[in-house]
Structure formats: structure tokens, C-alpha cells
Amino acid sequence: MKSARQSVILEIIAEQDIETQGQLLDALRDRGVESTQATVSRDIKELRLVKEVSPDGRYRYAPAGQDEASDSDRRMMEIFREGCVGFDHALHTVVIKTLPGLASAVCGAVDAMYDDNILGTVAGDDTGILVMRNAAAAERLCTQLRRTYKR
């Protein structure tokens, strides 16, 4: 369902200039795809859509250049690697310990890099809590983070 919706989003932005999430929601509905603003917002993030200036001077959604997206991924991974000092999960929660003052940046990087099973993050000074959809998602995220976090 998600990949089909995201494919439709890519078709829509290739065919017409879409300036806002509201316009994108309307265009999805016109194609028979029901969604919410929050879901469309996550799709935009996951698809790494950016706003660019159209020939008529207005803004529109467009796919980020491949170099831009991969550069962003590298930066997010570096923030995680440099700021994280450890992590673990309990039930549906992942706790990340960071260097002082970096919890917000590290949690933001993890949120940007990984799937939509992250329901939300809360960050203090040196600790971040990620609330996951379920315990299996928390365990999967920790497995993914272990691959990234090689000290």
C-alpha cells in the first residue's frame, strides 16, 4: 500500500506542479488514493522530495538529486556515529545515549534515516527515547543501528 501510494505520488509530481501537501492530497484522492496529511508528510520525507522553482517562478515538489539524497544520508549517518555512545531497546521503546547536548541531533538523524515504524522521539541532553510501533520494530531498529554504529 505504501509503495503503491508513493509510486502514485511520484507520478503526480512528474505530471503536474504540486506546491503544497494539500494539493498533493487532492491529487491522490482524484486518483482514488485516500491518505492523511501526516502520511503524505512522511512520504515526502521518505521519497526525499524537495521544493524547486518551476519555470513560472512558483515552487513545486520534485525528487531530490541522487547526489543530494546520498549526501544527506551520509551526513545523517555521521551525526549518529559521532554523537551516539550506546543504545538498546525494551518492549516498543529504543533508548539512545549520546554525548552531552547531542540527543536531539542524534534522534533527529535516526528519525530521518529509518522507517516509519518510529512513532515519535523525545530527546533530552544526552538521552533520546524513540517510541516504536511495536516491540519487533524496536528490535529491528536496534539491529539496523548496530550495522551503522561500528566503533
Side-chain angles (χ1 to χ4, degrees), residues 3-29:
S3 63
R5 183 183 60 251
Q6 289 182 349
S7 292
V8 173
I9 288 172
L10 292 173
E11 289 172 14
I12 290 168
I13 66 169
E15 295 168 6
Q16 55 187 295
D17 290 348
I18 300 292
E19 281 188 276
T20 67
Q21 291 180 9
Q23 288 175 336
L24 187 53
L25 272 170
D26 291 341
L28 283 167
R29 284 189 192 109

Side-chain angles (χ1 to χ4, degrees), residues 19 27 32 50-51 53 57 62 69 77 79-80 83 91 109 115 117-118 145:
E19 281 188 276
V50 296
K51 283 203 173 178
V53 179
M77 202 170 288
I79 289 169
F80 172 74
L91 299 175
D115 64 68
N117 284 312
I118 299 172
L145 292 176

Side-chain angles (χ1 to χ4, degrees), residues 30-130:
D30 290 346
R31 293 185 185 216
V33 178
E34 289 298 319
S35 190
T36 65
Q37 185 276 327
T39 300
V40 167
S41 180
R42 281 191 298 272
D43 288 338
I44 288 168
K45 181 178 167 184
E46 288 175 18
L47 292 168
R48 301 193 191 294
L49 300 182
V50 296
K51 283 203 173 178
E52 67 178 16
V53 179
S54 65
D56 66 1
R58 296 173 35 195
Y59 285 93
R60 66 178 176 200
Y61 282 108
Q66 189 61 30
D67 291 339
E68 259 182 70
S70 60
D71 186 47
S72 175
D73 287 345
R74 279 192 297 273
R75 284 183 286 173
M76 292 296 124
M77 202 170 288
E78 194 62 30
I79 289 169
F80 172 74
R81 282 188 190 133
E82 293 297 320
C84 180
V85 295
F87 54 88
D88 205 348
H89 67 92
L91 299 175
H92 67 282
T93 305
V94 175
V95 176
I96 299 178
K97 294 296 288 179
T98 71
L99 294 171
L102 294 180
S104 183
V106 170
C107 286
V110 171
D111 203 8
M113 287 188 303
Y114 295 100
D115 64 68
D116 63 351
N117 284 312
I118 299 172
L119 298 177
T121 61
V122 178
D125 183 55
D126 64 354
T127 305
I129 297 172
L130 288 74

